[in-house]
Amino acid sequence: CFLTGAAKLVVVIAIFLLTFYVISQVFEIKMDANLGHIFGNLPVVFSKILVYFLLKATKPPRYKCGISKSCPEKHFAFKMSSGAANVVGPKICVEDNVLMSGVKNNVGRGINMALVNGKTGELLDTKFFDMWGGDVAPLIEFLKTIQDGTIVLMATYDDGATKLNEEARKLIAELGSTSITNLGFRDNWVFCGGKGIKTKSPFEQHIKNNKDTNKYEGWPEVVEMEGCIPQKQD
């Protein structure tokens, strides 16, 4: 493994430098000023080398989208978070590609949605629907156009529920959501499901807006979620 290889290299370098230094002292070998300076600071040189290789060896691996573990073959890594109050927008990442975020300037108040090809992991579309001051009709129309085999990721920002009606909730429930029926004013919610899914999705987090437990005044804490989405097979 890498750790073993790094340790061996450190040992070899240390032995070489220490051997040269000891021989030069025993036989009183005269070194020029530059070599004398280098080997006179041998402990410093060695410590820097040692620290470098230890950092390289112990640095934790980074997985796609910054998730905590790697995904198996034929799975797509994803990580997402809801908005923070009405200040910081949500973020959706799939396969190390940030699909929606405040930095990309493609998020907004309400329900934020990213559609991903279930076979290739490629982004198909991103939309956000204002569920406070907007109309639910465009959301319903958009939900009806989603094709089978599409991965659907949703995240709320500010308020994602006020304008939701029974038809919109039913369409989202058909994508695998269980919390959509209870989603209320200023709740925080993230969800990953799919069109044509046969069971309820395991990827869903929901925190109720509660003045006694809210982290922010008027809003609950941010909800985050990560995981591995199975690739759609023919």
Side-chain angles (χ1 to χ4, degrees):
C1 67
F2 179 80
L3 179 58
T4 303
K8 287 181 178 179
L9 182 58
V10 170
V11 171
V12 170
I13 294 173
I15 292 173
F16 172 76
L17 293 175
L18 288 170
T19 301
F20 192 93
Y21 180 74
V22 170
I23 292 174
S24 68
Q25 296 300 310
V26 171
F27 294 97
E28 298 182 349
I29 298 175
K30 292 184 178 180
M31 298 180 289
D32 61 35
N34 290 331
L35 286 176
H37 175 73
I38 292 173
F39 288 102
N41 291 282
L42 183 60
V44 176
V45 174
F46 175 70
S47 64
K48 288 182 178 180
I49 294 173
L50 181 61
V51 168
Y52 171 79
F53 281 104
L54 286 176
L55 288 175
K56 290 283 288 184
T58 58
K59 184 178 180 181
R62 184 193 178 280
Y63 301 115
K64 292 178 180 179
C65 290
I67 66 175
S68 57
K69 62 180 181 179
S70 63
C71 289
E73 290 186 12
K74 298 182 179 180
H75 284 73
F76 302 124
F78 81 95
K79 188 172 184 177
M80 56 194 304
S81 62
S82 67
N86 61 347
V87 179
V88 180
K91 184 176 181 179
I92 300 175
C93 175
V94 175
E95 283 293 282
D96 236 12
N97 296 315
V98 177
L99 308 183
M100 302 186 76
S101 71
V103 174
K104 293 181 72 70
N105 197 31
N106 64 347
V107 297
R109 180 173 65 183
I111 293 179
N112 293 260
M113 191 183 320
L115 304 184
V116 173
N117 187 305
K119 291 183 179 180
T120 66
E122 293 179 310
L123 176 65
L124 299 175
D125 202 358
T126 62
K127 297 281 187 183
F128 63 86
F129 301 90
D130 187 349
M131 292 293 99
W132 170 253
D135 189 343
V136 72
L139 170 62
I140 292 173
E141 293 174 9
F142 185 73
L143 289 169
K144 289 180 177 179
T145 66
I146 300 175
Q147 300 296 307
D148 280 353
T150 301
I151 298 168
V152 184
L153 303 102
M154 300 185 182
T156 55
Y157 179 29
D158 190 352
D159 172 44
T162 296
K163 292 294 181 69
L164 283 179
N165 60 15
E166 185 176 348
E167 183 179 8
R169 292 178 190 269
K170 182 176 181 293
L171 288 169
I172 295 173
E174 290 174 354
L175 299 172
S177 171
T178 55
S179 297
I180 189 62
T181 55
N182 300 316
L183 189 67
F185 173 66
R186 287 186 177 176
D187 288 359
N188 271 342
W189 173 68
V190 290
F191 163 70
C192 176
K195 186 63 177 288
I197 190 171
K198 303 301 181 183
T199 60
K200 296 302 180 183
S201 171
F203 303 123
E204 189 168 24
Q205 297 289 335
H206 177 210
I207 297 182
K208 296 293 293 181
N209 170 24
N210 186 324
K211 65 179 182 180
D212 296 325
T213 59
N214 282 347
K215 182 173 182 179
Y216 309 105
E217 184 179 354
W219 288 270
E221 64 182 294
V222 172
V223 287
E224 295 183 322
M225 182 173 63
E226 65 176 51
C228 303
I229 308 166
Q231 182 183 18
K232 188 180 187 306
Q233 305 298 313
D234 292 328

